[in-house]
Amino acid sequence: MNPLDLVRTAIGNSFRSKLRTGLTVVAIFIGAFTLTITSAIGTGISNYINAQVASIGAADVLSITKTTDASATATSGPAKYDPTQATVNGGPPGVSIKPITASDLTVIKATPGLSNVNPITRVTPTFIEYANNGKYVITVNPAATLTKADLAAGAQLSENSTQNEVMLPTSYLSNLGFANAQAAVGQTVTIGINDYQGVAHEVTATVVGVQNETLLGTGVGLNQNLTTELSTLQSVGRPAGLPLGYPLATARIAADSTPAQIDTIKKDLADQGFTASTVADQIGSFETVINGIIGVLNAFAVIALIAAGFGIINTLLMSVQERTREIGLMKAMGMSGGKVYALFSMEAVFIGFLGSAIGALVAIVLGTVVSSALSNTVLSGLPGLHVMQFAPASIVIIILVVMLIAFLAGTLPARRAARQNPIDALRYE
């Protein structure tokens, strides 16, 4: 009996007892269905988290702030006022943020392992307006030029452009009077800002892109040219002797830096009075929770598959018992024990394939419908989030894993069949 005949015979034998095989396939179906759904949820949420990561900073960027004075506690009261301390650009004297000064930037730049150290300029516009449709409060993302936005339309901000550019979140479109994201691209908006003495100024800028809203609410993005112009207007009337500071600075680290090297850089900065964090530090705990939940769901799916494995063992043991004389006849006619073993193993693998393939197919169809419905209803406020995304590689791996479990479950019955004595088997009643 050649391999093709073995496969054909195994498939035919699997359906001898349709009810028993069907119940085993259902058990495998449940496990494969659950694994496929949880894998899709993990893929969908991971992709969304990656989009959120891109919206708050690149993976090779450190956000650096001045370490807060620990002397100001609930029990000891506020720290002593220092009139010579620099204030954050755009904020009045006495702000709670401990700013980074020009001398601090020099210290940070001297830290080994860092490059492209730049301060983040804070500007606080008062309103944004489009085509006299009314003025609306504006929130600015100060690090927009360092991020890669999850675009709904248009293009990314150009860091080196000499034109004023803005990137709007999707949540701003309706109030400003835009029909959709594409309609906003290329339009001119007006941004208002007050100087240090409260005098109002207005600046125009072009909308180059629209960004999907993120979990972190990044606000409106401004390119460097627009930020510089707003900062200049904001500083009009500022006392000449008042030191200037920045809320934070950013620095790039080598993309191939190891965790140990990054920890060394952070420690060096901490020793000099700075606190540094990466994107992974900022959202790492969130990803850990998500991965934990997915892991628990996958554990339940594996338990279902283990239970299905016992179903396969039971199905094939019954099949071996019912076909004892048939096995004896096959061996008496010259079929080797190895081929008998292969025949029953193939039956187990086929049952595993059938259950896992049906489970994965149903999961894909049902999951796609449910994910689409959620995106258009409950999760419509989170553009770009697709709860379930089915990766072909993951589905193939799930099917192969289930087939492996089925093969292992069929090992005991297959060995029992292969070790049958043909004479005793032919005498079996």
Side-chain angles (χ1 to χ4, degrees), residues 17 27 32 37 99 104 123 137 206 208 221 238 247 277-278 283 290 325 348 362 387 402 405 407 411:
S17 178
I37 289 293
D104 292 327
V123 292
V137 175
T206 302
V208 296
R238 181 184 180 88
S277 62
T278 62
I283 67 168
I290 295 298
R325 297 190 65 184
V362 173
V387 177
V402 175
I405 292 174
F407 170 76
T411 298

Side-chain angles (χ1 to χ4, degrees), residues 87-88 90-95 122 196 242:
T87 60
V88 172
V95 291
R122 174 184 170 186
Y196 206 81
L242 188 62

Side-chain angles (χ1 to χ4, degrees), residues 85-394:
Q85 179 175 297
T87 60
V88 172
N89 184 27
V95 291
S96 58
I97 299 174
K98 196 169 185 180
I100 290 177
T101 62
S103 59
D104 292 327
L105 291 174
T106 301
V107 173
I108 295 172
K109 290 177 181 178
T111 303
L114 297 182
S115 62
N116 296 332
V117 178
N118 293 298
I120 295 298
T121 303
R122 174 184 170 186
V123 292
T124 54
T126 52
F127 70 84
I128 184 171
E129 182 182 24
Y130 168 67
N132 297 319
N133 288 328
K135 297 179 174 65
Y136 293 90
V137 175
I138 177 175
T139 301
V140 172
N141 173 16
T145 55
L146 299 173
T147 65
K148 184 177 180 181
D150 178 21
L151 292 173
Q156 303 286 343
L157 292 170
S158 176
E159 186 174 354
N160 299 319
S161 174
T162 57
Q163 305 297 318
N164 290 339
E165 298 178 353
V166 298
M167 178 174 291
L168 299 176
T170 52
S171 58
Y172 277 54
L173 299 177
S174 178
N175 286 358
L176 290 178
F178 295 114
N180 52 53
Q182 192 59 52
V185 177
Q187 301 301 317
T188 300
V189 295
T190 301
I191 298 176
I193 192 166
N194 293 338
D195 63 24
Y196 206 81
Q197 296 179 337
V199 178
H201 302 268
E202 293 185 359
V203 176
T204 58
T206 302
V207 179
V208 296
V210 177
Q211 176 184 3
N212 286 319
E213 196 69 22
T214 71
L215 291 174
L216 304 171
T218 52
V220 175
L222 316 176
N223 74 333
Q224 189 59 51
N225 193 75
L226 178 56
T227 299
T228 301
E229 184 172 346
L230 291 174
S231 178
T232 300
L233 292 173
Q234 184 173 258
S235 299
V236 171
R238 181 184 180 88
L242 188 62
L244 181 63
Y246 306 92
L248 63 99
T250 61
R252 289 196 178 274
I253 53 179
D256 58 352
S257 297
T258 65
Q261 290 172 327
I262 295 175
D263 288 340
T264 299
I265 294 173
K266 291 179 183 177
K267 185 178 183 302
D268 290 342
L269 289 170
D271 292 341
Q272 299 174 83
F274 303 100
T275 300
S277 62
T278 62
V279 170
D281 296 329
Q282 298 172 41
I283 67 168
S285 57
F286 181 71
E287 285 186 304
T288 300
V289 171
I290 295 298
N291 291 336
I293 294 173
I294 299 299
V296 171
L297 294 176
N298 284 336
F300 283 113
V302 171
I303 291 172
L305 288 175
I306 292 174
F310 284 103
I312 292 174
I313 294 174
N314 178 67
T315 296
L316 292 184
L317 282 176
M318 293 294 293
S319 180
V320 170
Q321 185 175 354
E322 291 173 355
R323 293 155 55 190
T324 299
R325 297 190 65 184
E326 180 184 333
I327 294 169
L329 181 60
M330 288 189 293
K331 298 192 73 173
M333 293 177 66
M335 180 178 281
S336 66
K339 287 189 176 181
V340 173
Y341 178 88
L343 178 63
F344 281 88
S345 295
M346 286 182 184
E347 288 185 36
V349 171
F350 173 72
I351 292 173
F353 170 76
L354 191 62
S356 60
I358 295 174
L361 180 61
V362 173
I364 292 171
V365 174
L366 185 60
T368 300
V369 173
V370 172
S371 181
S372 178
L374 290 174
S375 296
N376 294 327
T377 54
V378 179
L379 302 176
S380 60
L382 296 173
L385 173 59
H386 300 283
V387 177
M388 286 175 270
Q389 294 183 13
F390 298 91
S394 297

Side-chain angles (χ1 to χ4, degrees), residues 1-10 335 339-340 342-343 346:
M1 185 177 288
N2 59 46
L4 184 59
D5 290 333
L6 280 174
V7 173
R8 289 174 178 170
T9 303
M335 180 178 281
K339 287 189 176 181
V340 173
L343 178 63
M346 286 182 184

